[in-house]
Amino acid sequence: MRDIGHFIGGKAVAGTSGRHADVFEPMTGEVQARVALASKAELRAAVENAKAAQPAWAATNPQRRARVLMRFLDLVQREYDSLAELLAREHGKTIPDAKGDIQRGLEVVEFACGIPHLMKGEYTEGAGPGIDIYSMRQPLGVVAGITPFNFPAMIPMWKFGPAIACGNAFILKPSERDPGVPMRLAELMIEAGLPAGILNVVNGDKEAVDAILDDPDIKAVGFVGSSPIAQYIYHRAAGTGKRAQCFGGAKNHMIIMPDADMDQAVDALIGAGYGSAGERCMAISVAVPVGKATADKLVEKLIPRVESLKVGPSTDPSADFGPVVTQAALDRIKGYVDLGIKEGAKLVVDGRNFKLQGYENGFYMGGCLFDEVAPEMRIYKEEIFGPVLSVVRAKDYAEALRLPTEHEYGNGVAIFTRDGDAARDFAAKVDVGMVGINVPIPVPIAYYTFGGWKASGFGDLNQHGPDSIRFYTKTKTVTSRWPSGVKEGAEFVIPTMQ
Ligand code: NAD
């Protein structure tokens, strides 16, 4: 069995707290590793190490910092297959999907390679007599990222790529459920030429997180995970004066208009609802067909597709999705299916009793499909985070627009239609952060920003894209005057540009 410690000062180190968590292999249900859970003192040691290394890294010119990231991109390519397998075995998603997880992270690192350009400031010549104004972006110092289990490659890279490119030192606290890939990524960053201490990985649970939130030398915290923890982290980080961007859970709707291409919509729902066993923050968990005829046709086409989904071990290249992450997650998801039946929703495909021969202890379930789900039900209001799709029938477009707009969460939403006017109106009015038009999972590409609204995101700057550079830097503005001729006396009135 592997023992996973921490990665501090450019090397793997053993944990000293005496506390550990089991890392499962979801496809077999077996414990495959033990991960150390850091104490407050271990976190502090990682911060001190990062703090000592950061000034020299900030003073390294941005082109050289970018070159480290360029080499890292190559090294990850070299190890793509082994990283994807490690990821799939710890998380449960299939290997092709694990490759997508890595790729979406790399794309943000590619974006961060543009740091010499991205960090340029502003300059105004002659803002007043003899006065020039310029601004510069400077790194914050030591910053931290706390990441979820469901994208163990992508989300750490979304955070450490831009942060390190900007000249910060980064403390990563990955999910304790699948820490293997983040640890390997840190090793590859060192191999790429990153100085020791600029990327430290501290494994742990609430104790390590609270130590991050209370540490006076950590200047910013980026979090991704469930909404209650996102809100907790936002609150506590603000209490110690840190910048915080905290992204939470989701309940993503897909509206199917009567004029939509029904086969295209069904394909989209199957992939976006059940891919990665529904354990994606941008998964579609609510289908909203508009009008009875659309709803009847949609459900009729969905049922055989959900029934024929192929659930398999993570290493089976022909599987549509693999197991969920833990037994606790499986119990929670099945509990929501039981609840939906009690609440009066119609379970038209029941995947609760699915068993995979040869993998009886794995955390598997089949796809579930609910029809006639109502907005008052808990299975509509709460995030299930599993392979369960709910159909909520809307009588018209106005009701379909209202459902995601009034929902507590506001991460992603999609509309399927051939009507440009409806699509345009929907994109303008819906109260959700990321919108897809005939695109079921509208995760913006790396040079745009990613962020949900309402209970899906706390803080004002999004992840990746230009916002990530703003989040990981502070702006200093310099007003300079080099007077010529007669020098003026003291000025007591606030200077203006009148
Ligand atoms: P989680 O909230 O359980 O854990 C996220 C991180 O917080 C982990 O590193 C964990 O160790 C830490 N943590 C857990 N409990 C804590 C506590 N009580 N105090 C302090 N820290 C704690 O989330 P998860 O189950 O790992 O991930 C799934 C969730 O993440 C889903 O809700 C999903 O929608 C969300 N998610 C959101 C986005 C997004 O961009 N909005 C992206 C991916 C996942």
Side-chain angles (χ1 to χ4, degrees):
M1 193 165 69
R2 281 180 298 143
D3 247 315
I4 303 172
H6 312 294
F7 189 87
I8 298 172
K11 55 182 190 302
V13 297
T16 57
S17 71
R19 294 195 311 123
H20 297 91
D22 288 336
V23 178
F24 288 90
E25 183 178 62
M27 70 177 195
T28 57
E30 280 163 21
V31 175
Q32 57 168 317
R34 217 168 61 132
V35 62
L37 302 176
S39 64
K40 191 172 176 180
E42 287 173 293
L43 185 274
R44 183 62 206 160
V47 174
E48 276 169 11
N49 177 274
K51 198 178 166 191
Q54 190 266 338
W57 177 243
T60 304
N61 77 51
Q63 235 171 327
R64 289 195 171 159
R65 296 203 301 262
R67 284 183 196 138
V68 171
L69 297 181
M70 290 175 199
R71 282 192 292 273
F72 171 77
L73 292 172
D74 282 345
L75 294 176
V76 175
Q77 292 298 336
R78 184 189 76 192
E79 302 213 355
Y80 223 106
D81 290 339
S82 59
L83 278 167
E85 179 157 351
L86 176 62
L87 197 160
R89 282 183 183 275
E90 287 189 0
H91 174 283
K93 63 178 74 176
T94 62
I95 288 177
D97 201 31
K99 288 186 175 168
D101 186 332
I102 298 166
Q103 178 59 26
R104 288 303 294 237
L106 289 179
E107 288 170 10
V108 171
V109 177
E110 287 169 358
F111 166 75
C113 288
I115 199 66
H117 176 70
L118 295 167
M119 267 182 90
K120 280 187 205 161
E122 305 146 301
Y123 190 91
T124 301
E125 183 194 12
I131 296 177
D132 304 320
I133 302 190
Y134 60 96
S135 64
M136 47 187 160
R137 296 197 164 275
Q138 297 188 329
L140 303 177
V142 180
V143 299
I146 301 160
T147 54
F149 82 85
N150 69 326
F151 281 100
M154 178 183 88
I155 297 179
M157 284 193 262
W158 281 12
K159 301 213 168 296
F160 75 63
I164 288 174
C166 290
N168 298 289
F170 195 86
I171 309 274
L172 174 64
K173 205 303 284 171
S175 170
E176 61 275 42
R177 286 176 242 167
D178 45 13
V181 170
M183 289 288 281
R184 186 70 195 123
L185 294 175
E187 285 169 2
L188 292 175
M189 283 288 277
I190 295 294
E191 193 181 333
L194 189 73
I198 299 302
L199 176 56
N200 288 340
V201 182
V202 177
N203 284 305
D205 56 3
K206 182 168 168 54
E207 184 172 338
V209 171
D210 287 348
I212 289 173
L213 299 177
D214 295 342
D215 195 292
D217 286 321
I218 294 180
K219 302 299 177 197
V221 178
F223 172 87
V224 179
S226 56
S227 288
I229 311 293
Q231 190 162 20
Y232 164 75
I233 288 185
Y234 187 57
H235 183 83
R236 189 151 168 177
T240 53
K242 299 184 199 329
R243 283 186 187 188
Q245 51 169 204
C246 302
F247 298 95
K251 198 78 180 178
N252 306 314
H253 296 54
M254 183 171 130
I255 315 302
I256 301 101
M257 295 294 285
D259 66 349
D261 176 327
M262 198 51 82
D263 290 326
Q264 188 197 10
V266 168
D267 275 343
L269 275 173
I270 290 292
Y274 299 95
S276 200
E279 291 175 319
R280 290 181 183 143
C281 67
M282 289 293 274
I284 296 288
S285 49
V286 182
V288 185
V290 175
K292 184 172 182 327
T294 313
D296 290 345
K297 196 151 73 172
L298 180 77
V299 172
E300 187 194 315
K301 281 182 179 267
L302 273 175
I303 289 173
R305 295 289 300 274
V306 178
E307 282 172 342
S308 60
L309 281 166
K310 183 165 180 212
V311 185
S314 316
T315 45
D316 175 356
S318 68
D320 293 322
F321 63 89
V324 300
V325 67
T326 54
Q327 182 66 43
L330 188 63
D331 295 343
R332 192 200 64 239
I333 299 162
K334 287 184 180 175
Y336 268 113
V337 180
D338 297 343
L339 174 70
I341 297 167
K342 272 197 217 111
E343 289 184 307
K346 205 163 126 192
L347 185 65
V348 291
V349 182
D350 183 358
R352 283 174 298 175
N353 296 319
F354 175 84
K355 283 273 172 236
L356 190 62
Q357 218 188 346
Y359 294 88
E360 282 75 11
N361 295 324
F363 312 134
Y364 298 96
M365 67 180 283
C368 292
L369 180 65
F370 274 115
D371 192 6
E372 292 175 27
V373 174
E376 315 73 68
M377 295 178 185
R378 275 182 58 202
I379 59 159
Y380 173 73
K381 290 184 182 157
E382 297 173 19
E383 183 181 46
I384 299 175
F385 220 55
V388 182
L389 181 66
S390 295
V391 176
V392 178
R393 293 165 172 246
K395 65 176 184 313
D396 54 21
Y397 168 72
E399 188 182 344
L401 170 63
R402 207 161 52 236
L403 283 164
T405 295
E406 291 181 355
H407 202 284
E408 182 190 4
Y409 291 111
N411 211 39
V413 71
I415 184 167
F416 274 62
T417 180
R418 289 192 178 97
D419 178 348
D421 177 37
R424 190 166 179 273
D425 187 74
F426 183 79
K429 291 185 180 154
V430 71
D431 192 14
V432 172
M434 292 171 281
V435 182
I437 297 172
N438 299 319
V439 171
I441 307 190
V443 177
I445 46 176
Y447 45 95
Y448 280 78
T449 72
F450 179 108
W453 290 3
K454 302 184 282 185
S456 299
F458 302 86
D460 60 353
L461 289 171
N462 279 351
Q463 303 188 87
H464 64 66
D467 273 7
S468 63
I469 309 303
R470 290 187 198 108
F471 184 73
Y472 290 117
T473 56
K474 52 195 176 191
T475 306
K476 184 179 279 177
T477 311
V478 181
T479 305
S480 71
R481 177 159 67 168
W482 296 103
S484 54
V486 181
K487 308 284 184 274
E488 290 161 19
E491 178 60 79
F492 294 99
V493 175
I494 187 163
T496 67
M497 288 299 139
Q498 259 189 346

